[in-house]
Amino acid sequence: MFFILNFLVCFYFGFQVISTATAEPAASLYPYDFMCIADDNDEKLLKNLKETYKSDIHIEEYPMVRVATADKTERDERGAEQRIQGQEIGISETTYHRLKKAIHKDYKAKKMDLDAEGKKVYLVHQQDRSVKAQPMDWFYGKSRPNLHIGVPAAEYDWRDKKNTYIERVVTGEEIGSLTGCYSTEKSENIVVFSDKYFEKAEKEWKKTDAIWGIPAEDAKNYYGEATIIQGPIKLVLISVKSGINNRNKMLERIDQLLEKKEEAHQYIGNYDSTVRFHYDSESAKADIISERAVKILINSYLMIMVIIVDMIIFYTMCQMELKEIILRERFLKNLGMSGKERRKVYRKEICFYYVSPTCIMLAAMVLFLRAVLRARMFPETIAEMCIRMEGVLTAGVLLLRMLYVVAVYQVFSRKAGMRDER
């Protein structure tokens, strides 16, 4: 019991506070002012933005495909219960290198070991360090996600052997912001394919039924017709020049223009309200700052509450054993044991409830902390900082608990009538 309570304070709640406090500045997670997941029908809008704001804005366009994951939730769906699919951004290896170079000028392209068949992929989890590590697809496992090229197939059946949700192999992955940490950590992540396969992926929508997630020919044979939806094909990143007059008003006007196109991009209805046509960085920054503040506040409150609960339980336990302690005290006294020896016996007994849980907790913390730092891919300097902060927190909690145990020992040793006798 005491081991669990200490572990909750020092690691489960404590590390959430630490990881949030050491997370990247919110501004660094959004290298652009807007991100749009566009299609051919948005050409007129983008052209209008360029003509209206001219040199005040910079628009970058990259080819992309929508990638759906078989299962975006941690829930264990039962029987025929429908799985909620994730919606990610599929790009080519060349586009990945261009995006990396755009935000890291000293970036040097590396070999990604991707194949022409699209079986191998590289993943970019667009989230900050305060968010727990998690797979992009929860259907099977972290290293073998089931990915479908195209918008989510609402009637997809994983038991159908002809479905287009293909198991891929993850050759590498990273955690960080490439285009911006929008939506939720379970959507709008980056899936990188080889250049050769990406050319094929761009045409997959023409031969895939968008409702059932099977080849279009099979859909025609089964249902008489196939539903073909192109989906988004352009990753558009918009930056407004800094230092210009009325920049905030310009951002607001652009946001309003983009907002008008939201309904036109509900390819299969409002399947997932967290996935949008456009994302605004200013709103996203404000959201993440408030989320972090709330996260620190809630976890700090829970830490205090668990510490109080731990103290109450320990005191109650000692109170319940008081009668037994008094009887034993009389017995040992009648046997001729000195007060000093009797106090020593009681001290060893009560300290057992401090030393044993502490040792178990420290061992568990080392294992869990190592696993978490590795899973979240913390940079070495940040990992060292987290370890130091975790050490300070743990030392503080253990010191507080030790002082409390000593105080309880003093109270109950007096209640039991123990005294030094020479």
Side-chain angles (χ1 to χ4, degrees):
M1 169 65 77
F2 296 115
F3 148 66
I4 295 173
L5 294 175
N6 288 343
F7 185 82
L8 287 174
V9 173
C10 295
F11 184 78
Y12 188 77
F13 298 130
F15 189 76
Q16 292 189 60
V17 173
I18 291 170
S19 63
T20 304
T22 58
E24 311 91 325
S28 69
L29 299 172
Y30 301 95
Y32 307 95
D33 291 305
F34 297 95
M35 181 180 83
C36 301
I37 310 298
D39 56 30
D40 287 332
N41 296 324
D42 300 309
E43 193 62 41
K44 184 178 179 180
L45 171 64
L46 297 175
K47 185 178 179 181
N48 180 40
L49 286 174
K50 292 175 184 177
E51 292 175 350
T52 303
Y53 298 103
K54 297 179 182 178
S55 61
D56 288 339
I57 68 169
H58 178 65
I59 299 178
E60 299 176 35
E61 297 182 26
Y62 300 94
M64 65 156 284
V65 294
R66 177 57 85 195
V67 177
T69 60
D71 188 358
K72 69 174 277 187
T73 68
E74 302 173 44
R75 291 184 62 249
D76 183 20
E77 291 82 0
R78 304 284 180 174
E81 187 178 356
Q82 199 73 21
R83 291 175 169 83
I84 305 299
Q85 299 168 47
Q87 298 182 62
E88 320 297 350
I89 300 169
I91 61 174
S92 67
E93 185 175 351
T94 296
T95 298
Y96 169 81
H97 293 312
R98 287 176 61 194
L99 288 169
K100 290 288 283 188
K101 189 72 175 177
I103 58 177
H104 301 292
K105 301 304 179 184
D106 58 345
Y107 171 75
K108 294 182 180 179
K110 59 182 180 180
K111 187 174 175 60
M112 303 183 76
D113 191 28
L114 304 174
D115 63 339
E117 292 74 36
K119 290 284 187 181
K120 296 181 178 180
V121 296
Y122 183 90
L123 306 180
V124 181
H125 301 272
Q126 300 210 95
Q127 61 185 52
D128 67 76
R129 288 193 291 266
S130 67
V131 179
K132 69 177 182 179
Q134 54 198 310
M136 194 171 290
D137 175 42
W138 288 87
F139 188 66
Y140 274 138
K142 179 180 178 180
S143 60
R144 293 184 176 272
N146 273 34
L147 304 179
H148 160 78
I149 306 299
V151 297
E155 301 298 329
Y156 147 71
D157 184 357
W158 63 271
R159 292 164 294 190
D160 189 339
K161 294 182 179 180
K162 292 186 177 182
N163 75 69
T164 52
Y165 287 72
I166 301 171
E167 185 179 290
R168 322 274 177 164
V169 176
V170 177
T171 61
E173 56 188 329
E174 64 185 77
I175 295 176
S177 177
L178 198 57
T179 63
C181 300
Y182 302 105
S183 186
T184 68
E185 61 274 6
K186 297 180 180 180
S187 298
E188 304 298 17
N189 297 296
I190 304 291
V191 181
V192 185
F193 299 102
S194 68
D195 290 347
K196 191 168 184 180
Y197 177 76
F198 185 78
E199 293 177 3
K200 178 184 176 183
E202 288 181 297
K203 303 170 186 174
E204 282 291 310
W205 66 274
K206 297 179 180 179
K207 50 186 181 181
T208 304
D209 183 87
I211 302 297
W212 298 97
I214 58 176
E217 289 300 318
D218 290 323
K220 289 177 182 178
N221 293 334
Y222 297 158
Y223 309 108
E225 63 177 358
T227 303
I228 306 297
I229 299 176
Q230 184 180 23
I233 60 169
K234 292 179 185 177
L235 175 62
V236 181
L237 304 170
I238 304 174
S239 300
V240 177
K241 189 177 180 181
S242 59
I244 60 175
N245 293 328
N246 299 321
R247 186 176 187 274
N248 291 337
K249 289 185 177 180
M250 187 182 294
L251 289 170
E252 188 176 338
R253 287 197 296 269
I254 294 173
D255 185 45
Q256 290 172 353
L257 286 172
L258 297 174
E259 184 67 34
K260 293 177 181 178
K261 296 286 288 183
E262 284 295 338
E263 189 173 348
H265 288 80
Q266 293 183 3
Y267 303 103
I268 52 173
N270 192 14
Y271 179 81
D272 186 344
S273 61
T274 65
V275 177
R276 297 167 55 81
F277 155 64
H278 90 290
Y279 300 93
D280 166 26
S281 291
E282 291 303 315
S283 299
K285 288 176 194 175
D287 289 343
I288 200 168
I289 290 171
S290 60
E291 285 172 10
R292 287 178 177 179
V294 170
K295 191 173 184 179
I296 289 175
L297 182 63
I298 289 175
N299 282 283
S300 299
Y301 171 78
L302 290 172
M303 287 169 63
I304 294 170
M305 288 298 101
V306 173
I307 289 172
I308 293 172
V309 168
D310 175 75
M311 291 179 172
I312 292 172
I313 291 175
F314 187 73
Y315 187 89
T316 304
M317 180 194 73
C318 293
Q319 183 67 45
M320 292 174 65
E321 294 178 350
L322 183 57
K323 288 184 180 180
E324 182 181 334
I325 293 168
I326 292 173
L327 291 174
R328 185 181 63 188
E329 168 70 9
R330 291 173 182 172
F331 176 74
L332 294 177
K333 185 177 181 180
N334 291 333
L335 287 178
M337 184 179 286
S338 67
K340 185 177 181 180
E341 288 297 319
R342 297 197 304 273
R343 288 169 67 89
K344 185 177 180 181
V345 169
Y346 184 52
R347 186 163 56 246
K348 285 183 178 180
E349 181 181 326
I350 205 167
C351 285
F352 173 80
Y353 293 103
Y354 174 81
V355 176
S356 295
T358 297
C359 292
I360 298 172
M361 182 205 66
L362 290 175
M365 271 188 59
V366 170
L367 296 175
F368 277 90
L369 185 59
R370 182 181 178 185
V372 169
L373 293 175
R374 181 181 298 176
R376 295 195 189 183
M377 303 179 191
F378 278 31
E380 186 175 345
T381 54
I382 301 299
E384 290 175 357
M385 184 190 302
C386 289
I387 291 171
R388 286 196 298 270
M389 293 176 71
E390 187 68 50
V392 171
L393 172 64
T394 303
V397 171
L398 293 180
L399 177 61
L400 176 63
R401 192 162 189 271
M402 182 183 71
L403 294 174
Y404 181 73
V405 169
V406 170
V408 170
Y409 161 73
Q410 295 291 341
V411 170
F412 281 92
S413 63
R414 289 195 185 97
K415 284 186 177 183
M418 301 177 192
R419 61 185 183 276
D420 287 329
E421 296 177 3
R422 296 185 182 278

